[in-house]
């Protein structure tokens, strides 16, 4: 079955772009519109963003759009346990792509520099005052992971659960991956607008498999239901 057919059957929205640049623009416009709606309705808005390499065009486009960042709370979906100066830091990516926005916004980094567990506890306390989130932008790896919730990791089912005990989790180093911090399924699924942005044939095939099988071993499967919308483009 096609991605479009499976998304429709799952009640999930699907927006297909011609390429990564068009995808970045569509996604940024959607995020900005949702944040402006939240600001108009409640005077404050909250946004959780993904890092990595893929989001850079989207973030740079978002930086050009009219938003009152002083009234927007911004955090990350996940983070490697490294300082902002480290080349693998997701916070560093946001600082490069959204410099003026982060200077103005209510910015909550996940990395606090104490220890992974202590940082997760501090974020947990702070994030509780932000819920529900307005917009969450997720990515997905070829293995079906999202945020830093990986297939086969200890405690995966509880981490993904809507009633997870924590909002922010310390993810131990494993399989060559550094220690990380990640929002849990409980935190991520509070968002009124949940967006998944992917590109390329490998990720499309993984997503189709997740939609077809609802395989609990693919973490992304936990999010493939309304109010999620998928933004997809073929490789550039």
């Amino acid at each position: 079955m096609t991605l479009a057919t499976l998304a429709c059957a799952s009640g999930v929205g699907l927006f297909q772009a011609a390429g990564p640049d068009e995808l970045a623009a569509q996604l940024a416009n959607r995020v900005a519109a949702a944040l402006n709606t939240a600001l108009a309705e409640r005077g404050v808005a909250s946004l959780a963003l993904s890092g990595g390499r893929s989001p850079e065009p989207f973030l740079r486009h978002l930086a050009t759009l009219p938003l009152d960042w002083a009234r927007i709370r911004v955090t990350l979906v996940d983070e490697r346990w490294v300082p902002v100066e480290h080349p693998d830091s997701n916070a560093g990516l946001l600082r490069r792509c959204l410099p003026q926005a982060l200077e103005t916004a209510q910015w909550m980094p996940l990395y606090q520099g104490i220890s992974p567990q202590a940082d997760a506890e501090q974020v947990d306390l702070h994030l509780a005052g932000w819920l529900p989130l307005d917009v969450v932008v997720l990515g997905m790896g070829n293995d079906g992971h999202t945020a830093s919730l990986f297939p086969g990791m200890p405690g995966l089912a509880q981490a993904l659960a809507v009633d997870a005990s924590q909002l922010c989790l310390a993810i131990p180093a494993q399989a060559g991956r550094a220690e990380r911090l990640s929002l849990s399924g409980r935190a991520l699924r509070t968002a009124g607008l949940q967006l998944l942005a992917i590109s390329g044939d490998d990720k499309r095939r993984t997503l189709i498999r997740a939609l077809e099988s609802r395989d609990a071993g693919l973490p992304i499967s936990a999010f493939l239901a309304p109010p999620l919308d998928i933004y997809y483009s073929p490789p550039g």
Side-chain angles (χ1 to χ4, degrees):
M1 296 177 72
T2 68
L3 179 57
T5 301
L6 289 164
C8 182
S10 300
V12 171
L14 175 64
F15 299 83
Q16 300 193 69
D21 289 341
E22 182 179 309
L23 178 73
Q26 288 183 359
L27 186 62
N29 289 335
R30 181 73 182 280
V31 169
L35 293 173
N36 279 324
T37 296
L39 290 174
E41 291 176 350
R42 297 188 308 281
V44 66
S46 54
L47 170 65
L49 293 165
S50 291
R53 295 181 182 87
S54 300
E56 184 167 345
F58 150 66
L59 294 170
R60 292 195 182 280
H61 193 92
L62 186 63
T64 69
L65 299 180
L67 283 162
D68 185 357
W69 288 103
R71 296 191 291 148
I72 298 175
R73 299 163 170 171
V74 181
T75 191
L76 284 159
V77 162
D78 70 326
E79 177 65 283
R80 295 171 182 83
W81 200 71
V82 294
V84 67
E85 298 81 13
H86 193 284
D88 292 334
S89 167
N90 287 338
L93 172 72
L94 264 58
R95 288 197 178 278
R96 291 191 298 275
C97 297
L98 292 166
Q100 293 181 322
L102 284 200
E103 293 241 347
T104 308
Q106 299 175 56
W107 161 235
M108 179 173 62
L110 302 188
Y111 175 84
Q112 305 283 319
I114 308 169
S115 72
Q117 188 58 49
D119 288 3
E121 291 170 1
Q122 287 209 359
V123 172
D124 206 276
L125 289 172
H126 195 159
L127 187 61
W130 287 19
L131 299 184
L133 299 171
D134 290 296
V135 183
V136 161
V137 183
L138 297 171
M140 185 193 74
N142 291 340
D143 61 355
H145 84 265
T146 191
S148 281
L149 306 174
F150 292 93
M153 74 177 227
L156 176 62
Q158 175 61 16
L160 289 168
V162 71
D163 60 350
S165 59
Q166 295 172 260
L167 300 173
C168 184
L169 307 165
I171 309 297
Q174 57 177 335
R177 292 190 295 266
E179 293 174 301
R180 297 176 180 233
L181 296 156
S182 180
L183 300 193
S184 67
R186 175 183 159 203
L188 295 170
R189 285 192 275 175
T190 66
L193 179 61
Q194 299 164 34
L195 303 172
L196 171 63
I198 63 167
S199 62
D201 292 333
D202 288 342
K203 291 185 179 182
R204 177 181 57 82
R205 284 191 286 268
T206 298
L207 188 57
I208 286 174
R209 180 158 62 96
L211 285 162
E212 284 179 330
S213 66
R214 296 294 173 166
D215 183 352
L218 295 173
I220 193 60
S221 295
F223 300 92
L224 299 179
L228 181 81
D229 282 341
I230 299 166
Y231 279 75
Y232 169 75
S233 79

